Amino acid sequence: MKRILITGGAGFLGSHLCERLLGEGNDIICLDNFFTGDKNNIAHLMSLPNFELIRHDIINPIYLEVDEIYNLACPASPVHYQFNPIKTIKTNVMGVINVLGIAKRTKAKVLQASTSEIYGDPEVHPQNESYWGKVNPVGVRSCYDEGKRAAECLMMDYRRQNSVNTKIVRIFNTYGPRMAINDGRVVSNFIIQALRGKNITIYGDGAHTRSFCFVDDLVEGLIRMMNSADHFYGPVNIGNPAEFTIMQLAQLIIKLTESNSGIEFLPLPADDPVQRKPDITLAEEKIGWRPRIALEEGLAKTIQYFRDVLKKS
Ligand code: NAD
Ligand code: UDP
């Protein structure tokens, strides 16, 4: 049994990771400041003897004794990370320094939830880990993109300077049950709009692309990376290489929900990447990981989740 700290553990991805690692018999400390997380995501875990919840903001130091850390604390939706951009970059710099401080003191292994946003609006397609990216350093997405780049830098410098056992995973767009109703990311927005019979809001003309990974596949990738050989520390892309235009996504969600929703075109937000698709060769070779769940199957599960949530609300 390992003592595992999951920061951002009450969020969308974090709650699934808590559940999975508890199921494998570990002791879990879930740390969250509830900015975008929700107690409902972990309510079913609260009574378990090997689960502990701490309300804490990682920009402040904290002393815990653990064997492994998954650092997921950071708002992930553009709407939320741009709400208080200074806080977002503080979370990714001061927060990551605090997390690395725990890892250094306790000799815990630490995995950083990085992002495909590291690649910005990419000129290389699909994106592989050796591509350095094209990020606007002064735009509205910079608090997140540059924050996450600084976090990767910190991971690597603590590894080189302090011998901390670090791992970096670059997560590509992931969706599934427990995304918040007000999350603002494309999959949850479109499903909720379709279920409510509201117009589907496509930003831009819908020709830009994303590649969508179901949460269970992503969690498997994070755990495999944490358990990989010490000499493989990444960064490694984890995402589903099946690429869709935003228009195709909208049409698929309308079909699966049997909705009468129309489509409304709104302006494309600044610096919105035109294309995104992971090259997962490295993950396949080094940790034997590739996604198993196709978009249609994952969307069906996510639609069912939102049907239940909307019925209750
Ligand atoms: P989320 O917003 O649902 O979860 C983030 C969690 O972190 C929330 O519970 C939030 O309350 C918590 N948090 C935020 N700031 C904090 C702070 N300062 N101190 C403590 N807790 C804090 O988002 P998610 O989709 O679950 O993303 C989890 C992680 O994965 C994030 O680091 C995100 O950048 C990364 N990621 C996610 C995706 C994706 O598609 N879901 C893609 C790339 C990277
Ligand atoms: N998007 C959209 N309508 C929405 C929400 C998002 O067309 O209601 C688009 C957004 O402009 C982007 C893509 O969908 O091109 C993915 O957006 P999301 O916020 O999910 O994540 P991103 O990959 O941009 O971080």
Side-chain angles (χ1 to χ4, degrees), residues 78 141 173 185-186 189-190 201-203 208 210 272 276:
R141 292 173 87 103
N173 297 65
R185 280 176 280 183
V186 69
N189 268 11
F190 285 6
T201 55
I202 290 188
Y203 306 157
H208 49 302
R210 292 292 186 274
D272 198 296
R276 186 181 287 155

Side-chain angles (χ1 to χ4, degrees), residues 7-15 31-38 41 56-59 71-77 80 87 90-92 95 112-117 144 148 169-175 178-180 183 185:
T7 75
F12 160 50
L13 297 181
S15 62
L31 180 156
D32 209 294
N33 72 348
F34 294 107
F35 175 49
T36 50
D38 190 331
N41 289 341
H56 180 80
D57 193 311
I58 58 158
I59 72 165
N71 185 39
L72 271 59
C74 178
S77 160
H80 296 295
K87 180 63 190 271
K90 277 187 177 174
T91 297
N92 282 303
Q112 167 65 6
S114 189
T115 165
S116 50
E117 288 286 318
Y144 184 77
K148 290 283 188 177
V169 172
R170 292 181 178 155
I171 302 172
F172 283 64
N173 297 65
T174 301
Y175 69 96
R178 300 205 196 116
M179 293 184 89
D183 182 273
R185 280 176 280 183

Side-chain angles (χ1 to χ4, degrees), residues 7 33 35 56-61 71 73-75 80-100 112 141-151 154:
T7 75
N33 72 348
F35 175 49
H56 180 80
D57 193 311
I58 58 158
I59 72 165
N60 300 310
N71 185 39
C74 178
H80 296 295
Y81 71 63
Q82 288 170 29
F83 172 75
N84 185 346
I86 296 171
K87 180 63 190 271
T88 299
I89 199 154
K90 277 187 177 174
T91 297
N92 282 303
V93 177
M94 295 159 69
V96 170
I97 289 172
N98 289 329
V99 166
L100 282 161
Q112 167 65 6
R141 292 173 87 103
S142 319
C143 59
Y144 184 77
D145 300 9
E146 296 291 12
K148 290 283 188 177
R149 287 167 71 96
L154 284 162

